[in-house]
Amino acid sequence: MKFSSWLLLPTALLSQSIRAESDYSERLNLQPLTPSSLLASFNFWSNASLQSYEQQHFKFIPRSLGQILQHAKTKELHLRFSTGRWDDESWGSRPWSGTKEGGTGVELWAWVEANSDGASFARWVTLNNALSGLFCASLNFIDSTRTTRPRMTFEPASRGIDTSRNDLYLLHGTLPREVVCTENLTPFLKLLPCKGKSGIASLLDGHKLFDASWQSMAIDVWSICPDDGSQCSIEMEQTVDMVLNVDRSKRPRDNPIPRPIPNEALRCDNSKSYALNEACFPSNVSLGQSWTIAEIFGRRIQGSCLAEDAQGSPTESLFFYIPHNREVHASAGVETKHNSGISRSFELPREGPFEMVLSHIGPQTFNSHSSSPLYASRSFTGHGQERGGIQTLLTNPSKTSAIEFVYFEALPWFMKPYLHTLIARLITTSTADPSLIKETYYRPALDRRRGTQLELLISVPADSTVVLTYDFDKAILRYTEYPPDANRGFDVAPAVIRILSTGNKTLDDPVYIRTSSLLLPLPTPDFSMPYNVIILTSTVMALAFGMIFNLLVRRFVGADEVERYDLKALKAKVRWRVLMIWERILGRENEKKAL
């Protein structure tokens, strides 16, 4: 059964009604993808009036982040921390249509208000430096070489912002090499009203989150100005999405080493005629697995966090997409089954732990493999240390309608692509088809000043695969520009795909897809040679300096001018000195005895 937008419709409408009546809401969506994979989506939404925000009256919008945005004149912010790779073929469509997802590492884009291009970049640097300290990340390394200005890929989520204004600039930066860890999760939780101590945020544990097959943390801040002219508001949304491996998550933390399952714990299909005590035929995988929240996340939900509407009534915070005939037991709270027949929700208790147990009895729903609107695969081609190429496969799985999208790449400056080698063709032919690329925006790189920006408007026919290729040269870096692990290669940021329309239908809500990042090998010198040269040069300089210093300082005299010493007289003199010292020591001891 498909896990698509219509499945989220009842709970989405309920969530919108809750948001309209309160300034803070949180929600956890649990969706089994495969018998061994579970998608957990945490969403935290807060709201404040624009007037109180500008007057720095902070309640649910955190002051630490709000003052940074005000100081940098940032009208809209989108920050992503992601690790892993989303498996489209096994897991289907991406959560939130890919809008809460970022490329591998750290990705940031924002709309900044400034009078000129240079002033906007200065405020962009200020924003990166401040966010770097707030989230313990290396955002301060997003310099001019890692900054681009997309034209067609991103649209503001704020209502009431005129993108044609001359004083509003969109800037985008990536750090594909950044490693996301617990140091980024801790400040993320500190922005929440309950600081991760209660509510669904109490399940966010660094050991479980970063052990997931794929995870993404998102922070979005935008403003809303209604069309009726009423008061504007500012909204902030924090999202954590992760795909957990059920078998790996159920391992105890004190003994995480995988071990064979005991015979009595095996689930066998005894209906087979050849099923014996010494042989086990696995039962149907569609039955799924039984698990609890404590087994998956390592802890229980500790009460609720401000899960109330304006009248003080509790609201539903946990949504579980599972058939109604599946046995689910909750330790507390109120369970509500939706009319769709494949989802249910729970009200968390105000105090005390909350536990939910999923039984293995009954069928289980999984994400359909055909729900992804586009499949994208990107890789390097060519060989050698001088030049190479990039090949991207774009597959439209629809049998009836074409798909149109924007393809965006931000390349480092040491990758020098040749635009005349850009070719788009169908995989069934070897000749280029110019009609596939509708529009092109290309901004060439400048050495050590800015990277390459490439945006393409592409249309893929129904049930077809388009091959996009181009060639590039590899630049030779200075030896001080190589990272400590230079032989590993250089990370290239993933490509961003924004789907505009399918067939003749234009999408109202954006749908984003990101490819995996690439690892580019560059010509790497032998870094042991500089050290050998330094050691040899230092040795030669020491020998030369020592010889010259001896010539300048040492005094040379003739052999006949040197006084000849009598060795016997010298020995007698030394012996006499030793005897004198010994007699003094004995004399002092005799005086002490006499006293």
Side-chain angles (χ1 to χ4, degrees):
M1 190 172 293
K2 295 184 179 180
F3 176 60
S4 54
S5 58
W6 67 268
L7 180 61
L8 291 175
L9 184 60
T11 53
L13 296 176
L14 177 62
S15 177
Q16 293 295 333
S17 63
I18 295 173
R19 290 183 178 185
E21 299 178 359
S22 62
D23 291 334
Y24 176 80
S25 64
E26 58 182 26
R27 170 176 170 175
L28 171 60
N29 297 331
L30 298 178
Q31 166 65 26
L33 301 177
T34 65
S36 60
S37 299
L38 174 68
L39 172 62
S41 297
F42 297 78
N43 182 261
F44 309 92
W45 177 87
S46 55
N47 178 48
S49 65
L50 188 61
Q51 181 181 2
S52 62
Y53 172 77
E54 292 177 347
Q55 296 176 354
Q56 296 194 7
H57 294 163
F58 298 99
K59 184 178 180 181
F60 296 115
I61 304 294
R63 178 183 297 271
S64 57
L65 182 60
Q67 291 182 342
I68 291 175
L69 300 181
Q70 292 178 354
H71 179 71
K73 302 296 182 181
T74 303
K75 297 303 180 181
E76 184 173 327
L77 172 72
H78 302 276
L79 179 61
R80 305 288 185 266
F81 299 90
S82 303
T83 58
R85 183 184 69 89
W86 179 268
D87 190 354
D88 297 86
E89 297 182 357
S90 300
W91 301 337
S93 61
R94 299 163 187 257
W96 315 104
S97 300
T99 57
K100 307 299 182 183
E101 177 189 351
T104 304
V106 178
E107 184 176 357
L108 171 67
W109 68 96
W111 276 264
V112 180
E113 185 179 12
N115 297 326
S116 62
D117 187 82
S120 66
F121 182 75
R123 290 178 176 175
W124 169 256
V125 173
T126 301
L127 176 65
N128 291 334
N129 292 336
L131 294 178
S132 176
L134 179 62
F135 292 101
C136 298
S138 303
L139 292 169
N140 55 311
F141 285 94
I142 300 181
D143 53 8
S144 60
T145 62
R146 296 180 173 90
T147 300
T148 55
R149 301 174 184 271
R151 297 298 182 92
M152 302 181 291
T153 308
F154 299 100
E155 292 291 337
S158 302
R159 286 188 293 176
I161 289 185
D162 185 7
T163 56
S164 61
R165 290 169 46 186
N166 295 328
D167 59 344
L168 198 62
Y169 296 85
L170 169 61
L171 296 100
H172 176 270
T174 57
L175 286 174
R177 191 184 180 88
E178 183 75 7
V179 178
V180 185
C181 60
T182 310
E183 294 180 353
N184 311 122
L185 176 62
T186 301
F188 182 91
L189 296 177
K190 295 299 182 182
L191 300 179
L192 298 175
C194 298
K195 313 300 181 183
K197 302 298 182 181
S198 61
I200 62 174
S202 59
L203 296 179
L204 292 175
D205 177 45
H207 297 86
K208 297 293 184 178
L209 175 61
F210 299 108
D211 188 50
S213 303
W214 173 85
Q215 68 87 18
S216 178
M217 296 190 300
I219 297 178
D220 302 280
V221 182
W222 66 89
S223 59
I224 299 295
C225 292
D227 298 332
D228 56 1
S230 58
Q231 186 180 16
C232 299
S233 63
I234 183 169
E235 298 183 1
M236 176 178 173
E237 195 167 7
Q238 297 177 245
T239 308
V240 178
D241 299 311
M242 68 181 85
V243 176
L244 298 168
N245 184 282
V246 176
D247 295 327
R248 190 166 64 244
S249 299
K250 291 173 64 175
R251 298 173 188 167
R253 183 178 298 180
D254 55 348
N255 189 17
I257 301 176
R259 303 181 186 278
I261 301 177
N263 294 335
E264 59 273 10
L266 291 174
R267 300 209 330 253
C268 305
D269 189 356
N270 297 323
S271 62
K272 302 295 181 181
S273 58
Y274 45 81
L276 302 175
N277 294 331
E278 60 274 6
C280 177
F281 186 83
S283 60
N284 191 358
V285 295
S286 62
L287 296 178
Q289 297 189 25
S290 60
W291 47 264
T292 65
I293 289 183
E295 289 178 339
I296 296 297
F297 297 98
R299 58 184 70 174
R300 300 178 180 178
I301 300 178
Q302 301 299 322
S304 62
C305 175
L306 305 176
E308 298 177 353
D309 56 15
Q311 288 74 29
S313 302
T315 57
E316 298 170 336
S317 301
L318 175 60
F319 294 83
F320 195 19
Y321 297 94
I322 207 75
H324 290 177
N325 55 2
R326 192 74 183 271
E327 293 186 8
V328 178
H329 305 282
S331 60
V334 179
E335 178 183 358
T336 302
K337 294 184 178 181
H338 302 146
N339 296 330
S340 61
I342 53 176
S343 64
R344 64 189 76 189
S345 59
F346 296 88
E347 293 180 3
L348 301 180
R350 296 184 178 181
E351 297 180 357
F354 174 84
E355 177 65 295
M356 186 185 70
V357 181
L358 173 65
S359 173
H360 66 275
I361 301 175
Q364 188 173 4
T365 309
F366 300 111
N367 195 359
S368 176
H369 296 177
S370 61
S371 56
S372 181
L374 181 72
Y375 295 102
S377 175
R378 183 164 166 249
S379 60
F380 281 124
T381 60
H383 57 86
Q385 298 294 331
E386 298 180 3
R387 59 187 58 90
I390 285 184
Q391 174 180 277
T392 306
L393 301 179
L394 304 167
T395 303
N396 180 11
S398 176
K399 303 294 184 180
T400 57
S401 59
I403 186 171
E404 190 175 61
F405 56 88
V406 176
Y407 180 83
F408 170 72
E409 280 190 346
L411 304 177
W413 65 267
F414 44 79
M415 288 181 61
K416 302 179 181 298
Y418 294 104
L419 192 60
H420 72 278
T421 63
L422 179 63
I423 297 176
R425 61 178 178 85
L426 295 176
I427 198 172
T428 56
T429 63
S430 59
T431 58
D433 188 355
S435 63
L436 297 176
I437 300 180
K438 306 295 184 181
E439 187 177 347
T440 301
Y441 177 80
Y442 175 71
R443 190 186 186 200
L446 297 177
D447 288 353
R448 298 175 177 84
R449 292 178 57 186
R450 74 183 186 197
T452 302
Q453 177 179 338
L454 178 64
E455 286 185 279
L456 304 174
L457 181 60
I458 303 177
S459 177
V460 180
D463 195 18
S464 302
T465 298
V466 170
V467 181
L468 184 68
T469 60
Y470 61 85
D471 300 331
F472 64 90
D473 280 347
K474 302 178 182 179
I476 299 178
L477 306 181
R478 300 165 183 166
Y479 81 94
T480 55
E481 295 174 339
Y482 285 90
D485 52 348
N487 291 303
R488 173 184 174 270
F490 291 79
D491 294 88
V492 180
V496 183
I497 299 174
R498 179 193 176 192
I499 300 177
L500 301 178
S501 62
T502 56
N504 297 325
K505 179 182 179 182
T506 302
L507 300 181
D508 297 331
D509 298 326
V511 177
Y512 286 93
I513 295 175
R514 284 170 172 81
T515 65
S516 57
S517 59
L518 300 178
L519 198 61
L520 174 67
L522 287 182
T524 306
D526 185 3
F527 286 99
S528 64
M529 294 306 298
Y531 296 103
N532 296 337
V533 173
I534 292 172
I535 293 172
L536 180 59
T537 305
S538 301
T539 304
V540 173
M541 292 181 62
L543 293 174
F545 176 79
M547 294 174 59
I548 296 174
F549 182 80
N550 288 336
L551 293 175
L552 294 176
V553 177
R554 183 173 295 176
R555 178 185 177 189
F556 295 92
V557 296
D560 55 346
E561 299 179 8
V562 180
E563 296 182 0
R564 295 187 178 182
Y565 293 95
D566 189 356
L567 185 59
K568 294 182 179 179
L570 183 60
K571 291 182 178 180
K573 189 175 181 179
V574 172
R575 188 181 297 109
W576 178 76
R577 290 289 185 183
V578 173
L579 292 175
M580 290 294 294
I581 295 174
W582 182 253
E583 289 179 357
R584 289 182 181 180
I585 295 174
L586 293 178
R588 291 178 181 177
E589 291 181 356
N590 294 333
E591 290 179 359
K592 291 181 180 180
K593 291 180 180 179
L595 294 176

